[in-house]
Each structure stands twice: as structure tokens, then as C-alpha cells.
Amino acid sequence: MARGSTTTRSESDASESLIGRGARIRGRVHGDGSLRVEGSVEGNIQLTGDLEIEDGASVTGDVEASSLVVSGQLTGDVTSRGPVTIRATAQYAGNVGGSEVILEEGAAFAGRIEAEFDLPAELSERTGGRAQSPRREPAGR
């Protein structure tokens, strides 16, 4: 028998949805809470919570989420308010922006990464605190 509880779940625990293996979704996915994809989605995904694309799953479309973990296939641009992790098993094509981008060794990635970062002290002193691309010296010097 279930008993009533006076505790409330946190917002991050409030709602997690699943698109199971074998499921195919065509169209825009929008919602509050988090989503784990084990099947395939063809369409844009916009979430207030986190998105996880499992190994063997695929998403074709732009993604906006609180954070993102990609272990499967993703083709589309990503905007994340938090960290983006691209696992070693991932195949990702598109531009990605997030507070932190983690690209594991072995991941297949084609695109552009946009992330805020602080330069190490030795580089900050040389550039006056501005991010600059490293200088390349001509070969043979």
C-alpha cells in the first residue's frame, strides 16, 4: 500500500521521458523535463531539462537542452545551457555550443565548437586577457 509523502521531488527529478529502442519519432519534440533517446528522432528537440542520446540511438535535427550527452548518432546544431559531452562511441555532425564541451577520444565529430573558456595565465599575459588563436611559425624555422 502506498503512503502519502510530504516531500517533493526536485525540478531535475520532476520529469524524465524515454523514447525506447525501436521507436521512431518524426516531428518536433518539445517539453519540460529531461529525455533519454534509445530509438530515433527526426526533428528538432527543445527541452527545459537534459537530453541523453544512447549508444545505438539517432537524432537528426537541432537540439536545445539544459545539458547533453551523446553516445549515439546526432546530426544537427546544439545549443546547451550547461555541459555537452560527446562520448567515444558518438558520431556527431553539427555545431555545438555549451558552457563546457567534452569530446572524448574516439568520438567522430565534424563541426564547430563554441564554448566560453579562460585562458591559462601564461597566455593571458601575452594577449592581454583576450582569446587569440596560437601563432603558427613557417616550417623550417
Side-chain angles (χ1 to χ4, degrees):
M1 181 197 279
R3 293 185 183 176
S5 172
T6 58
T7 61
T8 59
R9 293 176 4 179
S10 70
E11 186 176 329
S12 63
D13 293 339
S15 177
E16 181 175 314
S17 299
L18 169 68
I19 297 174
R21 294 199 187 283
R24 292 182 183 173
I25 306 291
R26 281 188 143 178
R28 183 173 165 236
V29 177
H30 173 61
D32 295 330
S34 299
L35 175 66
R36 189 171 73 232
V37 178
E38 295 177 351
S40 70
V41 175
E42 291 181 32
N44 296 341
I45 299 175
Q46 184 179 18
L47 302 171
T48 60
D50 305 328
L51 175 63
E52 187 169 352
I53 302 169
E54 297 287 338
D55 191 11
S58 68
V59 172
T60 303
D62 294 341
V63 169
E64 183 179 328
S66 186
S67 71
L68 173 67
V69 176
V70 181
S71 298
Q73 294 182 339
L74 173 59
T75 303
D77 294 339
V78 169
T79 302
S80 176
R81 294 173 295 284
V84 176
T85 303
I86 303 170
R87 301 267 186 231
T89 57
Q91 296 179 339
Y92 178 62
N95 300 323
V96 60
S99 65
E100 177 181 6
V101 178
I102 301 163
L103 184 60
E104 291 184 356
E105 185 175 347
F109 175 80
R112 188 177 76 207
I113 297 174
E114 295 180 19
E116 295 291 324
F117 61 93
D118 294 322
L119 288 173
E122 60 272 7
L123 291 177
S124 293
E125 293 169 5
R126 291 194 311 196
T127 64
R130 294 184 316 269
Q132 293 181 349
S133 56
R135 291 186 180 188
R136 294 185 181 200
E137 296 294 328
R141 282 194 176 178

